[in-house]
Amino acid sequence: MAAKVYKNLIGGEWVESRFGQTFENQNPANTKDIVGIFPKSNKDDVNQAVEVAATAFERWRLTPAPRRGEIIYRCAQILQERKEDYARDMTREMGKVLKETRGDVQEAIDTAFYMAGEGRRLDGHTVPSELPNKFAMAVRVPLGVVGMITPWNFPMAIPSWKIFPAIISGNTCVIKPAEDTPLSTLNLVRALMDAGLPPGVVNIVHGYGPEAGAPLLEHPDVRAISFTGSSEVGRIIGQAAARNFKPCSLEMGGKNAIIVLNDANVDLAIDGALWGGFGTTGQRCTAASRVIVEKGVYNQFADKFVSRAKAMKVGAGIDEQNDMGPQINQQQIETTQKYVEIGKSEGAKLLTGGNRITAGGLGEGFFWEPTVFGDAHGKMRVAQEEIFGPVISLIPTDSLEQAVEISNGVAYGLSSAVYTRDVNKAFKAMRDLQTGITYINAPTIGAEVHLPFGGTKATGNGHREGGIGAIDFYTQWKAIYVDYSDRLQRAQIDTGE
Ligand code: NAD
């Protein structure tokens, strides 16, 4: 059967790339399965989408925010109805197991309901004026057209974190989804269009980063950029945005650690570390690729953890029997392979895994064994650099203080976790871990949409997604003074003395 052909969405119309070029979206569990053919867009397509979005902005910003919220609320209901179909599409293009892709769609649903409510809030503030008969307030106003560039690992949730807060605030947008997972973003936006979103408010331009993403950074009508992806690409994006004076939100890589103390519930910590490290095949920005274990429980933890890792069933995510799906593409497999070799050469002990899986009909996909290194130390490259694969390093430690130092001793600062039953230790860790998110007695993954999401150091540039932090990014403050005294009153001069 011929693969389905998909198009860009510009001004409410489904259109081909202007030069007619396309690319294939492959199933990472079986590369012979082509999920669809998508437009390979370039600067002309991006410019057209931005122009349409700029025109749509003039009407959308005047649409009352509660009306905008109703459309987003209807979108949430449509996503609920289509949840299973969209989860299956996502597993087919991205690889992660069905229970996780259902979670990814659910995250978009949660964000939609949350942001729909913002339509009746979007609060600013009023303060007293220093002059008599004068009213002072600060209101939120939208920015205009926002350019969005997203990664493949949460292909519906991450676009939803950007699109819903942007449009509830009155902005319009052009999104360039990851080239590995274009369908899930398209499904999200299709649900919005079916919910009654006016044409041009959200536009999709598919394609590769340098051709279809970079032009967003240069277009004068794009007023802000929201990017999620690697720190390497984030640096390029941030520099271009700065050159063009565009506000820019960067959500980037992670090297997250779970700390397990001697007093922890070790079995609970093992459950958490398996889910945190191997969930999404280790391809989460919040993945726990380091587990720092206090020496009193290290051997017990390592033995049980390795036998649980060995017992994991790896295979196509669409089969509900499987615990872990494939990696996204050949490049990610090669990165994982490279780091396994680096770990061995650095002297970390390979306790299980370390190989690509081709047996059992998995040869056409990008499958890798759940891999555990033992006796690692914090300065090894496998414990410093983001691998983005199913590779976990166990690091023995003497104390909480040392564990926190190891956890903090990386370039990134997204998520951290501590397993302990000692409330004093938990609070010290909550204070001292230099990450944007910290969990106690839960793994490093599992953020909820109404709390701020983002990290420190090379993970982010200070903005937050999720919760009210997202509204802060997609609006700017406008101060308004209303003088009803009927005379000239000069601030700082007519002080009444
Ligand atoms: P990536 O940086 O390779 O690509 C991200 C997006 O940027 C893609 O859409 C890509 O096409 C685009 N892009 C690439 N080069 C570009 C360029 N020169 N100009 C403009 N756009 C360009 O990242 P990825 O491989 O898709 O995703 C994995 C990375 O994302 C990991 O580092 C992970 O930690 C990170 N991530 C971070 C978060 C977070 O919130 N902190 C969430 C998910 C993923």
Side-chain angles (χ1 to χ4, degrees):
M1 200 173 69
K4 209 166 160 187
V5 177
Y6 294 91
K7 297 183 177 171
N8 288 335
L9 179 69
I10 299 182
E13 305 284 329
W14 297 100
V15 293
E16 288 175 3
S17 153
R18 286 192 162 185
F19 289 93
Q21 288 184 317
T22 57
F23 66 95
E24 284 184 350
N25 177 11
Q26 286 182 336
N27 179 343
N30 173 8
T31 54
K32 289 197 170 137
D33 176 29
I34 303 303
V35 179
I37 311 283
F38 286 79
K40 190 162 174 278
S41 313
N42 67 18
K43 191 175 175 185
D44 288 355
D45 302 296
V46 174
N47 289 350
Q48 190 194 358
V50 173
E51 279 157 34
V52 163
T55 305
F57 175 66
E58 289 311 321
R59 285 176 72 104
W60 185 243
R61 75 185 176 89
L62 300 177
T63 304
R67 298 283 91 76
R68 303 197 289 249
E70 284 163 19
I71 294 170
I72 295 176
Y73 193 93
R74 272 200 297 281
C75 175
Q77 292 173 313
I78 292 171
L79 289 172
Q80 282 179 318
E81 287 159 19
R82 300 179 188 170
K83 180 172 170 180
E84 188 61 22
D85 288 347
Y86 284 176
R88 284 175 182 273
D89 278 351
M90 195 188 298
T91 290
R92 190 173 164 212
E93 72 170 351
M94 190 275 162
K96 60 188 174 186
V97 295
L98 265 179
K99 66 171 183 284
E100 291 191 37
T101 51
R102 288 181 190 125
D104 196 309
V105 180
Q106 187 59 44
E107 206 162 319
I109 294 168
D110 295 343
T111 304
F113 279 129
Y114 176 71
M115 287 299 165
E118 273 305 319
R120 287 192 181 269
R121 203 165 24 239
L122 281 178
D123 43 3
H125 48 265
T126 60
V127 289
S129 167
E130 67 190 41
L131 292 163
N133 296 321
K134 194 173 174 191
F135 189 85
M137 61 185 158
V139 298
R140 293 178 183 274
V141 293
L143 305 166
V145 180
V146 182
M148 301 171 176
I149 300 175
T150 51
W152 45 263
N153 61 342
F154 281 84
M156 187 174 285
I158 290 177
S160 82
W161 297 354
K162 299 185 189 304
I163 291 173
F164 293 135
I167 65 175
I168 194 64
S169 304
N171 303 285
T172 57
C173 53
V174 177
I175 183 163
K176 203 299 282 173
E179 52 272 29
D180 284 302
T181 54
L183 180 56
S184 297
T185 309
L186 187 146
N187 282 340
L188 173 70
V189 177
R190 196 196 298 276
L192 254 175
M193 299 307 290
D194 292 345
L197 190 76
V201 174
V202 178
N203 305 275
I204 314 177
V205 179
H206 294 286
Y208 289 79
E211 299 108 60
L216 285 169
L217 308 165
E218 304 300 332
H219 199 297
D221 286 344
V222 173
R223 300 283 187 229
I225 295 288
S226 179
F227 168 81
T228 302
S230 61
S231 301
E232 194 187 355
V233 175
R235 192 183 296 278
I236 300 172
I237 305 271
Q239 286 171 346
R243 243 191 344 265
N244 296 309
F245 304 125
K246 295 186 197 306
C248 176
S249 167
L250 303 173
E251 294 294 343
M252 302 172 286
K255 189 70 190 176
N256 316 287
I258 291 178
I259 296 172
V260 183
L261 298 181
N262 285 341
D263 64 44
N265 175 342
V266 172
D267 289 328
L268 180 69
I270 287 170
D271 283 342
L274 282 166
W275 173 227
F278 296 130
T280 322
T281 320
Q283 302 170 122
R284 286 195 187 210
C285 49
T286 50
S289 54
R290 300 179 292 159
V291 185
I292 306 168
V293 189
E294 217 175 351
K295 284 181 180 160
V297 289
Y298 181 83
N299 288 340
Q300 178 196 356
F301 182 96
D303 289 349
K304 283 192 187 173
F305 186 70
V306 167
S307 65
R308 291 278 301 277
K310 280 185 176 149
M312 285 182 73
K313 277 197 76 181
V314 182
I318 207 77
D319 177 349
E320 304 226 37
Q321 305 295 313
N322 290 327
D323 301 311
M324 192 176 92
Q327 294 215 252
I328 188 69
N329 55 32
Q330 178 64 25
Q331 196 189 334
Q332 277 303 142
I333 278 276
E334 285 169 15
T335 303
T336 301
Q337 177 149 31
K338 180 182 91 180
Y339 276 104
V340 167
E341 294 311 318
I342 289 172
K344 286 196 248 176
S345 70
E346 286 178 313
K349 201 191 286 176
L350 185 62
L351 300 178
T352 185
N355 300 296
R356 185 171 183 167
I357 310 173
T358 50
L362 301 184
E364 298 294 342
F366 303 114
F367 294 95
W368 193 271
E369 292 172 339
T371 299
V372 183
F373 279 113
D375 295 343
H377 65 74
K379 294 289 173 215
M380 289 177 170
R381 283 184 66 192
V382 280
Q384 286 282 323
E385 297 170 23
E386 186 178 49
I387 302 173
F388 233 50
V391 181
I392 298 175
S393 296
L394 305 183
I395 306 172
T397 189
D398 291 315
S399 63
L400 170 66
E401 289 68 28
Q402 193 185 54
V404 168
E405 202 180 313
I406 295 168
S407 178
N408 288 343
V410 292
Y412 302 101
L414 183 51
S415 186
S416 54
V418 184
Y419 282 81
T420 179
R421 288 166 165 140
D422 182 330
V423 69
N424 294 356
K425 290 186 173 172
F427 269 87
K428 281 183 186 148
M430 280 149 53
R431 183 192 61 199
D432 293 340
L433 286 163
Q434 297 164 351
T435 51
I437 309 167
T438 292
Y439 295 87
I440 303 297
N441 294 324
T444 51
I445 66 179
E448 299 181 30
V449 304
H450 50 299
L451 277 86
F453 184 94
T456 63
K457 301 190 275 184
T459 296
N461 63 342
H463 297 287
R464 291 291 182 268
E465 303 205 285
I468 204 67
I471 298 290
D472 288 340
F473 181 72
Y474 292 107
T475 55
Q476 54 194 331
W477 288 111
K478 181 169 193 172
I480 299 178
Y481 303 93
V482 183
D483 189 324
Y484 54 99
S485 67
D486 227 13
R487 61 195 173 92
L488 175 65
Q489 298 197 92
R490 296 166 299 178
Q492 292 91 39
I493 295 171
D494 298 325
T495 55
E497 285 164 10

